[in-house]
């Protein structure tokens, strides 16, 4: 069974004057919208390099989004497969 989808992802970055970078990644599946968030703080003793703050905050936002997607998928698998019984072999999609 072939299946093709296109999901849209938007990444927004904001930097405060105090060296805090905030990131928000928005995933739009066409039926659902999820938002991942992440922050990064520049140590006052360090040189402020905005690119590093962007990378850290964006990575953390994507990690947050990834955890949300995995949680949703785990719930969907349980909904389709029903309650799991304890066996020595795993069935279905490995998590």
């Amino acid at each position: 069974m072939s299946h093709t989808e296109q999901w849209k992802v938007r990444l927004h970055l904001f930097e405060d004057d105090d060296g805090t970078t905030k990131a928000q990644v928005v995933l739009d599946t066409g039926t659902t919208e999820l938002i991942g968030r992440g922050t990064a703080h520049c140590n006052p003793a360090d040189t402020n390099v905005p690119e590093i703050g962007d990378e850290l905050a964006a990575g953390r936002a994507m990690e947050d989004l990834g955890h949300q997607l995995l949680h949703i998928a785990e719930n969907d698998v349980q909904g389709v497969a029903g309650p799991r019984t304890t066996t020595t072999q795993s069935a279905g999609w490995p998590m």
Side-chain angles (χ1 to χ4, degrees), residues 22-78:
K22 296 178 183 177
Q24 177 176 299
V25 61
V26 180
L27 171 67
D28 182 357
T29 68
T31 58
T32 303
E33 186 173 280
L34 296 174
I35 299 173
R37 292 181 174 84
T39 59
H41 308 280
C42 181
N43 185 322
D46 293 338
T47 303
N48 186 8
V49 181
E51 183 179 44
I52 295 172
D54 292 349
E55 293 164 348
L56 286 168
R60 290 171 180 160
M62 289 184 207
E63 183 177 51
D64 179 39
L65 180 63
H67 286 292
Q68 291 179 50
L69 283 169
L70 287 171
H71 180 73
I72 290 168
E74 289 169 359
N75 287 338
D76 288 348
V77 167
Q78 289 177 359

